[in-house]
Amino acid sequence: MNRGSATAAQPVLRIQCLDGTRGIAALWVLAGHCMLLTGFSLPIVGSPDLGVDLFVLLSGYLMTYQYLVRRHREDWSRPSTWRAFWIRRFFRLSPLYFPLLIIALIAGAGIYADRVFIDQALGRPLQLEERYADLSIGNIAMHLTYLYGLFPDYAFRTPLPDWSLGLEMQFYAVFPFLIVLHARMGWLRMTAGVALAAFAVALGLKALHIRLPMPSFLPLKLHVFLAGILIAAAPRNGKHLVAAMILMAFPYGGSIDALHVIVREALVVAFFLVVNFQDRPVVGAVSRTLGSRPFYWLGELSYGCYLIHLLILHPVAAWVLAHGGMTQPPSWRFMTVFPVVAIVTYALAAVGYHLLEKPGQQWGRRLLEQLKLGGKAWQTTAEKIDAP
């Protein structure tokens, strides 16, 4: 059965095209960062923040989708269901993140030295050293508890692109309450009310001159999560699509130039089509391609790719720039750096996938069984694949 014939009440267990979608999002971020650190530029592809937006949209969709799968066997008004959800999400992200966090903090001084060389070579302002090499107890504690996204001083303070993980954890923290609100208000009224409240918070931050280095505070990106929620909640629903497009046009939480707005709107429409109209010839062909075996593995390794790539990119880009790269055009530098970084990153992501990600999810299931929540230990495919 494909997604196009599913209903909100009886969703299918796997949507093949989502594997390729998350794989493309990770590759987009990797390619965009390679461009930034080699001085090369292409429209759209050179904006890794758009790849993160695709991850966030997908996350809102997947969490709502797993809720629809589980709601007939779990009572989402009960705190025990919320605890099980939070434990499953913790063990989806943390087993790979924590070891990489330790490595990143230890290697932070060296990576910062590479970044200084890159910025000087490309004529860019230097980054602050603490952005890469803060080994303080406070910074470590903030990251081990995922609280760093709430504080401007800690939101972007490791060599990893982990600001979005803190953002994801904030979304997971409030997701059960969004479901409770939905049960009382309906999907559209819930998303409208929550989006307006988040917008008010964003305006308040601006009025108080509180600026985060990245949109790591949930109200700044909640509208993108909500767009994904609406697309999952009612397949082929035109009203939900229009509401999702309005949400994606909110003027905060990232770059708001015309190109970014247009691309975000295109992402929403394309995502809506590919998950709902697989029975149509063109869309079906795209969906089948995204669900093919190569794209499946691209998706399975996407979380590791996202977390690891900057650890590889900085030393590779610095080496290329130091060994004749500055005498070559930016396109040459990118075409030299990108394949090396991609090959090494995906190889390491495969190791992390088999040694940490998969076993980590099993650890979470065992913990739920020990807590007498074994009936809630099973993971839907949506939960297994969702990671920024």
Side-chain angles (χ1 to χ4, degrees):
M1 180 185 292
N2 61 37
R3 185 65 174 91
S5 60
T7 66
Q10 294 179 312
V12 295
L13 293 181
R14 189 175 193 91
I15 306 174
Q16 302 292 344
C17 62
L18 297 185
D19 294 316
T21 303
R22 64 192 176 116
I24 288 173
L27 190 59
W28 190 345
V29 173
L30 187 155
H33 282 149
C34 284
M35 290 183 188
L36 290 174
L37 295 191
T38 58
F40 185 52
S41 179
L42 283 177
I44 302 176
V45 181
S47 298
D49 57 315
L50 290 171
V52 176
D53 283 341
L54 181 54
F55 266 129
V56 172
L57 179 71
L58 183 60
S59 183
Y61 180 93
L62 289 170
M63 289 303 93
T64 306
Y65 186 73
Q66 66 83 29
Y67 156 72
L68 295 172
V69 172
R70 306 179 75 101
R71 64 177 177 170
H72 296 296
R73 58 184 296 176
E74 293 182 352
D75 183 358
W76 278 75
S77 66
R78 297 175 61 86
S80 61
T81 299
W82 309 346
R83 288 196 299 271
F85 169 76
W86 290 327
I87 290 172
R88 291 195 304 269
R89 300 318 303 154
F90 179 86
F91 281 94
R92 176 62 185 94
L93 299 188
S94 302
L96 182 62
Y97 173 55
F98 286 163
L100 287 175
L101 175 64
I102 294 171
I103 293 171
L105 291 173
I106 293 173
I111 294 174
Y112 176 67
D114 289 332
R115 184 58 186 260
V116 168
F117 179 81
I118 292 169
D119 288 340
Q120 288 177 334
L122 298 178
R124 294 173 177 166
L126 298 183
Q127 304 276 325
L128 295 175
E129 184 175 3
E130 55 265 31
R131 158 72 181 87
Y132 288 84
D134 185 354
L135 290 173
S136 68
I137 296 299
N139 191 44
I140 294 171
M142 283 290 178
H143 282 79
L144 290 176
T145 57
Y146 291 102
L147 295 176
Y148 53 93
L150 303 175
F151 302 93
D153 289 343
Y154 295 103
F156 198 41
R157 217 171 179 86
T158 77
L160 300 174
D162 54 1
W163 65 269
S164 65
L165 270 68
L167 177 70
E168 284 279 337
M169 280 298 193
Q170 293 170 55
F171 174 62
Y172 299 152
V174 305
F175 181 76
F177 304 104
L178 298 180
I179 295 301
V180 171
L181 286 175
H182 140 67
R184 298 180 179 180
M185 304 171 62
W187 291 112
L188 286 173
R189 286 199 295 169
M190 181 276 288
T191 53
V194 171
L196 289 175
F199 189 30
V201 172
L203 291 177
L205 292 176
K206 185 176 181 179
L208 295 172
H209 304 288
I210 298 175
R211 183 184 179 277
L212 285 94
M214 299 297 283
S216 59
F217 183 39
L218 182 59
L220 301 179
K221 280 290 186 184
L222 186 54
H223 56 293
V224 183
F225 285 110
L226 291 172
I229 286 175
L230 285 177
I231 294 174
R236 301 196 180 196
N237 188 304
K239 290 182 179 180
H240 279 219
L241 173 60
V242 171
M245 293 177 68
I246 293 172
L247 288 169
M248 290 294 280
F250 274 26
Y252 62 92
S255 299
I256 55 173
D257 58 88
L259 182 59
H260 272 76
V261 173
I262 291 170
V263 173
R264 289 189 185 106
E265 295 299 309
L267 286 175
V268 171
V269 173
F271 187 73
F272 179 83
L273 291 175
V274 82
V275 297
N276 286 312
F277 292 93
Q278 298 174 22
D279 54 342
R280 305 297 171 85
V282 175
V283 176
V286 172
S287 182
R288 287 190 297 273
T289 300
L290 291 174
S292 64
R293 200 65 181 169
F295 278 95
Y296 167 79
W297 280 110
L298 197 66
E300 288 293 279
L301 301 181
S302 61
Y303 180 43
C305 170
Y306 179 79
L307 277 183
I308 293 169
H309 75 280
L310 287 180
L311 299 179
I312 309 304
L313 172 58
H314 280 86
V316 171
W319 190 92
V320 169
L321 290 172
H323 291 80
M326 289 307 297
T327 64
Q328 302 294 332
S331 59
W332 182 93
R333 296 196 295 262
F334 170 76
M335 293 304 296
T336 302
V337 168
F338 174 71
V340 174
V341 173
I343 290 170
V344 176
T345 295
Y346 278 104
L348 293 175
V351 174
Y353 174 81
H354 290 291
L355 296 185
L356 294 170
E357 289 186 64
K358 298 296 284 185
Q361 294 177 57
Q362 295 176 358
W363 302 335
R365 288 192 288 271
R366 291 184 191 133
L367 177 60
L368 287 172
E369 291 170 357
Q370 293 175 0
L371 295 175
K372 308 300 183 182
L373 296 171
K376 297 179 174 63
W378 71 288
Q379 282 188 306
T380 64
T381 300
E383 288 182 290
K384 291 177 183 178
I385 70 177
D386 182 54

